[in-house]
């Protein structure tokens, strides 16, 4: 999908493709992603589990396993000079990108929390490593709903929601210009979920950029400026959030919204394809009531008002 890259973009991704080599198959995890995010923008990447959302985030930070092959470009601007995240070596990513220019709220807090150190130790250590005073730890923690007493607990003593909030605090502490938030509201009750989302929105309002990876469309509607819908490794629709929630044009995106309890509450028929056996054409065609013979070929990306759309027969067009 070809996206016009704005000169003001903080991150510009083009042709990003990720493949995982297995002994008897290849996993087509991410395919031909072209997208950009600007300072002050909150981009929500949404879709069903297994569509490639988290792989996209991990590819940007060089956190994929050894059997992954990554191609394309992902240029991060700002700082001393632009850096292509996909071409950068491990030393560059570890010393100048991760935690400094890009923060990550991981989907599983267990991957970010050292089990033998308290939350306070982890947060103070993070602040010190980035030249900030350790005394700010409690203020950072309070911003995500943690008390001073919570900080004195070890990770195994935290509930799932508390661990998620601590991981969020660790990502926010260095104040990175770009934050990748991978399901940051997992395990949180509604008030804490809304508080976390509002915190991400506030960061964008202060000039940072956030890529929110979520399957929660209600969360995306609450805070997103733009929405990108992924299906079977590809982005199928990308547009301003207000326009998207008013009326998505891709049949899959439309079906996602119709599955919400406050809308039609209608399940999407069928199942997503295996990423090891994707069809040659539109991957959603077997589940789509608008599919026609030409859906056997991959739909090319087309500009659609202020967004992008990959569909031969979008909602709103004559069938």
């Amino acid at each position: 999908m070809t996206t016009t890259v704005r000169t003001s973009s903080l991150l510009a991704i083009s042709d990003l493709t990720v493949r995982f080599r297995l002994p008897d198959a290849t996993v087509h995890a991410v395919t031909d992603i072209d997208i950009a995010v600007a300072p002050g923008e909150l981009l929500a990447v949404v879709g069903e589990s297994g569509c490639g959302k988290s792989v996209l985030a991990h590819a940007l930070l060089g956190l994929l396993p050894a059997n992954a092959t990554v191609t394309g470009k992902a240029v991060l601007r700002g700082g001393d000079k632009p850096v292509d995240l996909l071409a950068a070596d491990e030393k560059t990513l570890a010393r100048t990108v991760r935690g400094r220019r890009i923060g990550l709220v991981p989907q599983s807090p267990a991957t970010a929390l050292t089990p033998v150190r308290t939350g306070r130790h982890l947060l103070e250590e993070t602040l010190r490593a980035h030249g900030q005073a350790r005394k700010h730890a409690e203020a950072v923690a309070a911003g995500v709903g943690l008390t001073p007493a919570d900080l004195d607990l070890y990770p195994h003593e935290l509930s799932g929601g508390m661990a998620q909030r601590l991981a969020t605090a660790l990502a926010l502490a260095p104040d990175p210009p770009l934050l990748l938030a991978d399901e940051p509201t997992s395990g949180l009750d509604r008030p804490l979920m809304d508080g976390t989302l509002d915190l991400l929105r506030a960061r964008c309002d202060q000039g940072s950029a956030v890529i929110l990876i979520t399957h929660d469309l209600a969360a995306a509607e609450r805070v997103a400026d733009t929405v990108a819908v992924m299906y079977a490794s590809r982005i199928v629709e990308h547009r301003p959030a207000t326009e998207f929630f008013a009326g998505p044009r891709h049949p899959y995106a439309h079906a996602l919204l119709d599955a919400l309890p406050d809308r039609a509450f209608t399940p999407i028929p069928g199942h997503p394809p295996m990423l090891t056996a994707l069809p040659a054409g539109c991957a959603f065609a077997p589940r789509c009531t608008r599919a026609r013979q030409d859906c056997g070929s991959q739909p090319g990306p087309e500009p659609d008002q202020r967004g992008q759309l990959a569909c031969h027969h979008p909602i709103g067009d004559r069938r």
Side-chain angles (χ1 to χ4, degrees):
M1 183 176 299
T2 301
T3 298
T4 301
V5 176
R6 295 158 289 183
T7 56
S8 60
S9 296
L10 176 64
L11 175 67
I13 303 170
S14 56
D15 300 323
L16 172 55
T17 295
V18 179
R19 300 287 183 258
F20 293 112
R21 300 181 306 278
L22 302 179
D24 57 353
T26 298
V27 179
H28 296 247
V30 173
T31 303
D32 295 336
I33 300 296
D34 285 85
I35 205 163
V37 60
E41 179 182 354
L42 195 154
L43 165 67
V45 181
V46 304
E48 293 169 286
S49 297
C51 68
K53 303 186 303 294
S54 294
V55 174
L56 169 62
H58 291 176
L60 296 176
L61 290 173
L63 297 177
L64 297 178
N67 68 330
T69 300
V70 183
T71 58
K73 296 183 69 174
V75 178
L76 179 67
R77 297 182 173 88
D80 295 334
K81 61 180 180 179
V83 57
D84 182 352
L85 301 173
L86 306 185
D89 57 25
E90 173 61 23
K91 180 179 178 180
T92 299
L93 292 173
R95 294 188 178 183
T96 67
V97 175
R98 297 188 197 123
R100 291 168 173 79
R101 297 174 66 178
I102 302 179
L104 173 66
V105 180
Q107 185 173 9
S108 173
T111 64
L113 305 179
T114 305
V116 296
R117 295 180 179 176
T118 64
R120 184 181 301 277
H121 190 144
L122 292 170
L123 194 49
E124 289 181 349
E125 184 178 56
T126 299
L127 288 166
R128 184 173 61 249
H130 294 277
Q132 301 184 43
R134 292 182 297 173
K135 64 182 181 180
H136 297 317
E138 291 188 3
V140 174
V144 298
L146 292 173
T147 68
D150 294 334
L151 286 182
D152 292 324
L153 300 176
Y154 288 90
H156 74 274
E157 298 177 302
L158 301 173
S159 67
M162 292 169 69
Q164 186 66 54
R165 281 177 276 158
L166 178 57
T168 301
L170 292 170
L172 294 175
D175 195 25
L178 174 61
L179 185 69
L180 304 180
D182 190 0
E183 302 285 1
T185 58
S186 296
L188 303 183
D189 58 25
R190 176 51 63 180
L192 287 173
M193 182 184 299
D194 290 344
T196 299
L197 293 171
D198 291 344
L199 182 64
L200 298 179
R201 179 66 260 172
R203 286 190 62 82
C204 291
D205 294 341
Q206 295 163 7
S208 298
V210 173
I211 298 178
L212 171 63
I213 295 170
T214 183
H215 65 274
D216 187 344
L217 288 167
E221 186 172 16
R222 181 183 178 93
V223 296
D225 296 300
T226 49
V227 175
V229 182
M230 285 191 74
Y231 184 77
S233 84
R234 295 178 181 272
I235 291 178
V236 296
E237 185 165 0
H238 176 212
R239 66 174 60 247
T242 52
E243 296 177 12
F244 173 79
F245 286 104
R249 300 202 63 211
H250 194 282
Y252 171 67
H254 190 274
L256 271 183
L257 286 186
D258 272 355
L260 293 176
D262 60 348
R263 299 217 180 192
F265 205 27
T266 303
I268 304 174
H271 301 280
M274 296 290 292
L275 294 183
T276 54
L278 292 177
C282 175
F284 188 61
R287 308 172 71 184
C288 182
T289 59
R290 300 178 67 85
R292 297 292 182 269
Q293 186 174 356
D294 55 353
C295 297
S297 63
Q298 184 63 44
E302 298 292 340
D304 179 66
Q305 298 176 6
R306 289 195 294 152
Q308 294 285 330
L309 182 66
C311 182
H312 290 299
H313 303 285
I315 305 294
D317 282 8
R318 291 184 179 182
R319 298 178 58 179

